[in-house]
Amino acid sequence: MIRYLGIFIFLFTTFCSTSAFSFENPKTNAVPGGIFIAPLPASKTRPVVHYGNKRVMVVKDDDQWWAIFGIPLAAKPGNHHLTVQGEDNIKRKLGFYINDKTYESQHITLKNKRMVNPEKRDMKRILREQKEIRSALANWDDRTPNTMHFELPVSAPMSSRFGLRRFFNEQPRNPHSGLDLAAPAGTDIHAPAAGIVSTTGDYYFNGKTVFIDHGQGLVTMYCHLSEIDVKPGQSVKTGDTIGAVGKTGRVTGAHLHWSVSLNNTRVDPELLIFRPEH
């Protein structure tokens, strides 16, 4: 049985001034591709929270539990809900509202047509790699991240922002699920926050890639590298070098593609970038 707690509509700014939320939370934006933070009902133990069928990060500040979760790019505007299971094991629905957002289009021309329409000989590899990538992004580790204020992995201009509706050789493809940073080939890439390297690989589309698991469904991915300087299972601290910028995989030139996944949902990395107040 699932009990319904009703719909609540709020912005984080409405309660951040009254809550000493010591966990360094990201900026919130209740739109497709955004991040939302919701207060949870009182519970002596950590509630188990799901958005759809995906488990959601839960952190505590004093006596208040908070859910921090990503909203899929494909989410429809309107009323949505979390499923919250507390110490009494009763499942309750906790509502929230998603606003609409329209992302701009981007048209990219690729000379290598196999990177737009792979041939049959490529598909076996691509399907195998997609399974591995999905598994890395969907991983759940009970560790709580030590921060959600990230440093930029490379200091470089943002050449392609998150969410762009993409067309390769005028053919529509999935929206851009990360942030592209236009750094020269060979530039060191640094871990934006502490975590554990969960997987590395060299993939058809992503090229040489590193995944860092920061805990509770927060996973970051770094693509198109020229070199990988870490191994699976290795712990990294903020600022540690994990590899170098390259142009492997599906690219038009050297850059870093950086994705942030929260509850197996790709979200806008700019919402986690730490910018000190001046």
Side-chain angles (χ1 to χ4, degrees), residues 1-272:
M1 177 181 179
I2 298 179
R3 297 184 179 179
Y4 188 65
L5 296 181
I7 291 291
F8 62 84
I9 302 173
F10 67 91
L11 296 176
F12 179 68
T13 53
T14 62
F15 56 77
C16 67
S17 59
T18 59
S19 171
F21 193 56
S22 59
F23 190 88
E24 292 184 333
N25 53 283
K27 304 175 204 59
T28 59
N29 195 9
V31 298
I35 296 174
F36 209 60
I37 301 176
L40 300 174
S43 177
K44 292 181 181 178
T45 59
R46 175 182 291 172
V48 176
V49 180
H50 287 82
Y51 178 24
N53 62 355
K54 298 174 182 178
R55 190 166 175 185
V56 164
M57 180 187 296
V58 174
V59 299
K60 191 176 186 182
D61 175 53
D62 294 330
D63 293 326
Q64 178 66 61
W65 293 105
W66 302 87
I68 305 178
F69 59 99
I71 301 171
L73 274 168
K76 302 295 185 184
N79 295 326
H80 291 247
H81 71 268
L82 302 175
T83 301
V84 183
Q85 185 172 350
E87 57 189 326
D88 57 8
N89 289 323
I90 296 175
K91 293 182 179 180
R92 296 175 171 87
K93 289 183 178 181
L94 199 59
F96 63 98
Y97 191 87
I98 295 178
N99 298 299
D100 196 8
K101 180 171 182 175
T102 300
Y103 290 92
E104 295 181 358
S105 298
Q106 182 182 46
H107 295 260
I108 297 172
T109 301
L110 294 171
K111 293 180 181 179
N112 185 350
K113 292 182 172 57
R114 284 174 61 189
M115 285 295 175
V116 181
N117 297 300
E119 297 177 359
K120 186 176 181 180
R121 55 179 167 153
D122 302 318
M123 291 308 300
K124 185 175 181 180
R125 173 188 173 185
I126 290 169
L127 293 173
R128 182 183 69 249
E129 292 174 351
Q130 286 178 342
K131 184 178 180 180
E132 185 174 320
I133 291 167
R134 285 195 299 267
S135 177
L137 293 171
N139 189 57
W140 180 270
D141 188 314
D142 280 333
R143 291 177 300 113
T144 297
N146 66 350
T147 184
M148 289 185 75
H149 278 176
F150 283 6
E151 305 288 342
L152 275 171
V154 295
S155 180
M158 299 177 188
S159 54
S160 292
R161 283 190 151 88
F162 175 86
L164 294 173
R165 293 176 293 133
R166 285 190 146 180
F167 296 81
F168 290 106
N169 296 359
E170 300 306 317
Q171 298 181 41
R173 292 294 185 267
N174 290 332
H176 193 216
S177 61
L179 177 66
D180 286 354
L181 297 165
T187 303
D188 285 345
I189 301 168
H190 304 283
I196 297 173
V197 178
S198 56
T199 306
T200 64
D202 189 352
Y203 305 119
Y204 185 86
F205 290 123
N206 292 2
K208 292 182 179 179
T209 301
V210 171
F211 297 86
I212 300 178
D213 192 323
H214 303 275
Q216 284 209 61
L218 179 60
V219 179
T220 51
M221 180 176 71
Y222 311 80
C223 303
H224 311 308
L225 280 60
S226 60
E227 298 178 12
I228 294 174
D229 296 328
V230 289
K231 296 180 180 179
Q234 180 177 337
S235 295
V236 294
K237 304 184 299 296
T238 302
D240 283 355
T241 300
I242 62 172
V245 174
K247 49 183 178 180
T248 56
R250 183 169 64 185
V251 296
T252 56
H255 72 280
L256 172 66
H257 172 97
W258 176 37
S259 284
V260 174
S261 186
L262 185 59
N263 49 276
N264 195 20
T265 297
R266 263 49 80 201
V267 298
D268 186 353
E270 292 190 63
L271 296 173
L272 291 95

